[in-house]
Amino acid sequence: MTILHGYWRSSAAYRLRIALNLKGLDYDQISVNLKDGHQRDAAHKALHPQGFVPVLNMDGEQLIQSPAILEYLDETHPEPALLPGSAADRARIRAYAAVIGCDIHPIQNLRILQYIRSEYGQDAEGVKAWCQRWISDGFGALEKMAEADNRSGPYLFGAQPTLADIYLVPQMYNARRFGVAVEDYPHLSAADEAARAHPAFEAARPENQPDAPEDGH
């Protein structure tokens, strides 16, 4: 049995839900309530030493860190490929993922936002401004990358969803949460719209998860 330990609004867990759905792999979910701090419980830290999500139990393995798990899924279940094309194509797809996974998402996730609230006295507006600043900075670079690639779409890197879209869609979800003007990034917005219409992405939406609260917060 494949089990995903995650949280409905975790970007990293969202990525894995998309990938598992694209691969046609069945899985059960165990919710780790980040809002209530359950990621810091001893039981969860026994699964993930950093106290993060996601954790994936699959094929008798216990796997952590979404970039590593996504590559594992592509290596063990190669169709449809998340990293298709030539070596140069795969490097460019990884670059999209890295801008989001390394340079945008980590500095606007929950633990960072909690820290700037508690240590620097930022209120909700200050936190929102922080997120807007760094998301917009990264999106500006991604938009230029997409312009330079000049792919026909409809996805970020061509006719089929790839690892780039798996990273993009959760980050666009976060951008809308924090009031970023996503319409300022037409290539990203078009790819996001196309991906969200795909059944694998739709099923992975945070609001469609069993632990999503009725009020959406």
Side-chain angles (χ1 to χ4, degrees):
M1 181 181 294
T2 298
I3 299 174
L4 174 62
H5 302 254
Y7 182 60
W8 69 284
R9 208 159 62 181
S10 159
S11 294
Y14 192 173
R15 295 169 197 155
L16 293 195
R17 294 194 301 264
I18 295 168
L20 289 163
N21 294 343
L22 283 170
K23 300 287 188 182
L25 300 171
D26 292 330
Y27 59 98
D28 290 329
Q29 296 192 64
I30 294 177
S31 179
V32 181
N33 192 317
L34 304 184
K35 190 174 180 180
D36 291 346
H38 294 176
Q39 69 275 22
R40 295 187 290 272
D41 292 349
H44 183 68
K45 281 201 165 184
L47 303 177
H48 194 312
Q50 292 176 286
F52 295 167
V53 295
V55 177
L56 188 70
N57 297 119
M58 185 177 189
D59 304 329
E61 303 290 344
Q62 184 169 287
L63 306 170
I64 64 171
Q65 288 291 348
S66 65
I69 300 172
L70 289 165
E71 297 244 7
Y72 172 86
L73 290 174
D74 217 29
E75 290 174 9
T76 58
H77 298 83
E79 295 298 331
L82 306 181
L83 287 161
S86 66
D89 286 338
R90 294 192 295 275
R92 290 189 175 93
I93 292 168
R94 286 187 175 101
Y96 284 105
V99 170
I100 294 168
C102 300
D103 300 325
I104 303 176
H105 171 246
I107 54 175
Q108 50 99 95
N109 68 14
L110 181 62
R111 69 193 182 109
I112 301 302
L113 302 187
Q114 289 174 337
Y115 185 83
I116 64 174
R117 283 189 184 100
S118 63
E119 296 298 319
Y120 294 100
Q122 292 298 315
D123 60 10
E125 286 304 308
V127 168
K128 182 178 177 181
W130 168 274
C131 293
Q132 289 176 343
R133 164 69 175 81
W134 297 113
I135 294 172
S136 298
D137 186 72
F139 276 8
L142 288 170
E143 183 70 13
K144 290 178 181 177
M145 290 164 62
E147 289 174 4
D149 278 333
N150 194 28
R151 299 280 164 167
S152 59
Y155 301 101
L156 193 56
F157 203 77
Q160 300 297 326
T162 68
L163 191 71
D165 304 285
I166 288 173
Y167 275 79
L168 176 67
V169 168
Q171 190 57 61
M172 290 288 278
Y173 174 87
N174 279 340
R176 288 187 291 270
R177 277 181 62 210
F178 293 118
V180 174
V182 295
E183 64 274 10
D184 291 345
Y185 311 98
H187 288 82
L188 305 187
S189 294
D192 174 64
E193 183 177 0
R196 285 189 293 119
H198 191 293
F201 287 78
E202 169 64 21
R205 279 180 55 198
E207 294 82 1
N208 290 337
Q209 304 319 302
D211 59 334
E214 290 185 4
D215 64 2
H217 297 289

